Amino acid sequence: MSEAARLAPHLAGPAWILALDQTGGRGRRGRPWRMPAGNFAATYVFHPQVSPQQAALYSFVAALALEEALSRVAGPHARLSIKWPNDVLLNGGKIAGILLESLGQGGRISQLAIGIGVNLAEAPDPGTLEAGAMAPVSLRAETGLVIAPEEFLTPLAVAFDRLARQFATQGFAPIRAAWLARAARLGERLVARTGTETHEGVFETIDETGAMILRTAGGPMAISAAEIFF
């Protein structure tokens, strides 16, 4: 992500930046992201020229592309799903995460970087994660497959390009429908923690802005940012 920010002003077009070693990885809210050797870490950086609200929806585009790429390399028997908004799960454990960072002014986004981390070879030590975090898994441990980061980039880039073009031409509706078809715990009870508040309810859907609609005891609630616990 840091290298993407450095290179972005000099890029003539979109680019993928692949890191084979990472010493300053970060996740949402500035949390550390640890990358054991053999895992995947890449950032897609481009100039979308969209509003901040539209830019945020690329999170769902990226999650779908990542799920599609993992499905392609792992085969039809891999049990994949997406935890709102964009963590990809394999056999119920977290195999990948996505982080968006943007720059812009005047209500427009001039640069968007989408960072993607995948546990291809090894899951991080659960003891290094925050309390309550979803148990991590790796592709190798769950399926026996060994794939190099360079190999994984191709199916991911192909899937992202196709879905990004669909988003640009058809809007969020088909992305939303495809995402809901892969959503983890849709229709089930879960807990959403939004800073100082905790809400419990049934995960009904996501709306046209990507917000989670939670049916609580007090009625439907739209949640745009939260930590989700099953």
Side-chain angles (χ1 to χ4, degrees), residues 58-70:
Y58 276 99
S59 171
F60 296 89
V61 175
L64 278 176
L66 186 49
E67 191 272 348
E68 182 177 308
L70 283 165

Side-chain angles (χ1 to χ4, degrees), residues 92-194:
K94 181 176 175 178
I95 189 172
I98 295 169
L99 177 68
L100 269 65
E101 293 183 349
S102 63
L103 291 175
Q105 57 185 358
R108 306 294 290 181
I109 298 295
S110 59
Q111 168 192 318
L112 183 63
I114 304 174
I116 297 175
V118 186
N119 300 328
L120 292 179
E122 183 183 344
D125 180 355
T128 64
L129 306 178
E130 63 178 322
M134 175 159 283
V137 299
S138 72
L139 183 69
R140 180 183 295 175
E142 294 296 315
T143 68
L145 292 170
V146 178
I147 181 169
E150 299 94 325
E151 295 178 80
F152 185 72
L153 180 58
T154 296
L156 175 60
V158 169
F160 184 87
D161 181 69
R162 180 182 61 79
L163 290 162
R165 290 176 185 273
Q166 181 185 53
F167 179 45
T169 57
Q170 301 178 39
F172 186 55
I175 298 296
R176 175 179 177 270
W179 189 97
L180 284 169
R182 295 159 176 79
R185 305 297 178 96
L186 186 66
E188 298 182 22
R189 298 191 68 83
L190 49 76
V191 173
R193 295 179 184 164
T194 58

Side-chain angles (χ1 to χ4, degrees), residues 60 81-87 89 176 179-192 199-207 210-216 219-223 228-230:
F60 296 89
S81 59
I82 305 174
K83 179 188 175 192
W84 184 89
N86 56 27
D87 286 341
L89 310 182
R176 175 179 177 270
W179 189 97
L180 284 169
R182 295 159 176 79
R185 305 297 178 96
L186 186 66
E188 298 182 22
R189 298 191 68 83
L190 49 76
V191 173
H199 306 282
E200 184 174 347
V202 175
F203 176 20
E204 288 196 325
T205 187
I206 60 172
D207 65 15
M212 169 184 279
I213 305 301
L214 199 65
R215 189 175 77 244
T216 70
M221 174 179 291
I223 296 175
I228 303 300
F229 298 87
F230 295 157

